[in-house]
Amino acid sequence: MNTEKRRAVIGGNWKLNGTTGDCLAFARELAEHLPEGPLPEIVLAVPYLLVAEAAEVFRDLPVSVAVQNVSVYEAGAYTGEVSARQAAAAGAQWTLVGHSERRQLFGDTDADVARRVKNALSSALRVMLCVGEPEAVRADGGQDAWVAAQLESALADFDPEELDRLAVAYEPVWAIGTGRNASPADAQAMAAHIRACLTRRFGSAGDQVPVLYGGSVTPENAGALLAGPDVDGALVGGASLKAASFAAILAAAAAP
Ligand code: PGA
């Protein structure tokens, strides 16, 4: 294993929550609660309509703004879509791609995910690629093959030169929003598997891609989940809605 320390990244995902004004309140409270010392990279994925506000209020805080998705299209007659270029112009620096809620509720295919990754990269966004198996797949022991296939498809055309713009979040579908987090051992095992897939695909540079765990991360379980040597951070849904609980997770990530 590469001994160089990988970047730690903590992402928040507000999903379909929050409205104008909430970013300011959150930023003020987060500033009060930010832990001392070196922080992980902090990425907050807000609804599209809050991106400009978030970019403004987080300007003086070490928080990058993300969108939660970008269109498979670059521009044109696609009513209701938001392109990667528009997101970047509004102030987003990152986008989530392939979140399981997009895959399960909105029919995102692996091919769609690959197109979104491509559009994000061509618009200077960084990509937090989400992968993870449904419960039935884990029950059959198929999770490693499932996640490997998701990675292979999403990253088939990924330019190795762009690897410093990639993070991968392992989010088992059965752990998202359920209060049932993966065990720290399972999160570590899958993070190691993802790292092996990335190294197979990209060589040693793949080893530097941050691999995050997501799914019912809370201030209480973050320390144990982040202790795995291959777990470089977390993607946090529900517990990112309150600045104090998000800050407590940042503290867990910053702890030596
Ligand atoms: P959760 O969501 O923390 O509420 O389980 C995680 C996610 O969807 O990224």
Side-chain angles (χ1 to χ4, degrees):
M1 198 176 100
N2 196 321
T3 50
E4 200 182 322
K5 185 97 178 89
R6 283 184 296 271
R7 288 181 289 130
V9 181
I10 299 290
N13 177 8
W14 280 11
K15 310 191 179 184
L16 186 54
N17 296 294
T19 189
T20 310
D22 288 344
C23 293
L24 183 57
F26 184 93
R28 284 191 178 136
E29 205 183 328
L30 187 68
E32 279 170 30
H33 287 89
L34 268 186
E36 302 278 321
L39 289 168
E41 185 164 359
I42 308 169
V43 180
L44 194 65
V46 298
Y48 291 126
L49 288 175
L50 302 190
V51 167
E53 176 186 331
E56 174 69 25
V57 303
F58 292 128
R59 211 179 30 202
D60 298 327
L61 286 173
V63 178
S64 302
V65 178
V67 286
Q68 299 167 12
N69 193 24
V70 291
S71 181
V72 298
Y73 302 108
E74 287 178 50
Y78 302 106
T79 302
E81 288 290 279
V82 174
S83 72
R85 196 165 66 87
Q86 290 169 328
Q93 290 160 275
W94 285 79
T95 183
L96 307 185
V97 177
H99 191 281
S100 69
E101 285 155 15
R102 300 301 317 174
R103 296 182 194 254
Q104 294 217 306
L105 305 176
F106 300 96
D108 263 25
T109 63
D110 282 341
D112 294 332
V113 170
R115 287 177 72 182
R116 297 184 203 284
V117 169
K118 178 171 166 284
N119 286 348
L121 290 181
S122 62
S123 303
L125 293 176
R126 295 166 71 189
V127 171
M128 194 173 290
L129 172 66
C130 304
V131 295
E133 79 288 351
E135 184 150 36
V137 170
R138 180 164 279 268
D140 284 345
Q143 65 273 12
D144 284 5
W146 181 277
V147 166
Q150 286 182 325
L151 287 170
E152 197 176 311
S153 160
L155 302 177
D157 296 325
F158 198 97
D159 179 354
E161 296 285 314
E162 306 283 10
L163 271 183
D164 60 351
R165 293 167 61 199
L166 177 68
V168 175
Y170 168 55
E171 298 210 303
V173 175
W174 44 271
I176 295 179
T178 59
R180 283 173 56 205
N181 58 286
S183 70
D186 284 345
Q188 161 55 26
M190 182 58 85
H193 171 62
I194 289 171
R195 191 166 309 291
C197 293
L198 292 169
T199 307
R200 209 164 36 242
R201 167 77 176 80
F202 296 109
S204 60
D207 188 58
Q208 291 306 308
V209 174
V211 178
L212 283 53
Y213 166 77
S216 299
V217 176
T218 63
E220 291 71 34
N221 63 24
L225 285 162
L226 291 167
D230 288 289
V231 180
D232 304 316
L235 180 54
V236 183
S240 73
L241 292 172
K242 293 260 180 301
S245 59
F246 192 54
I249 293 169
L250 297 175

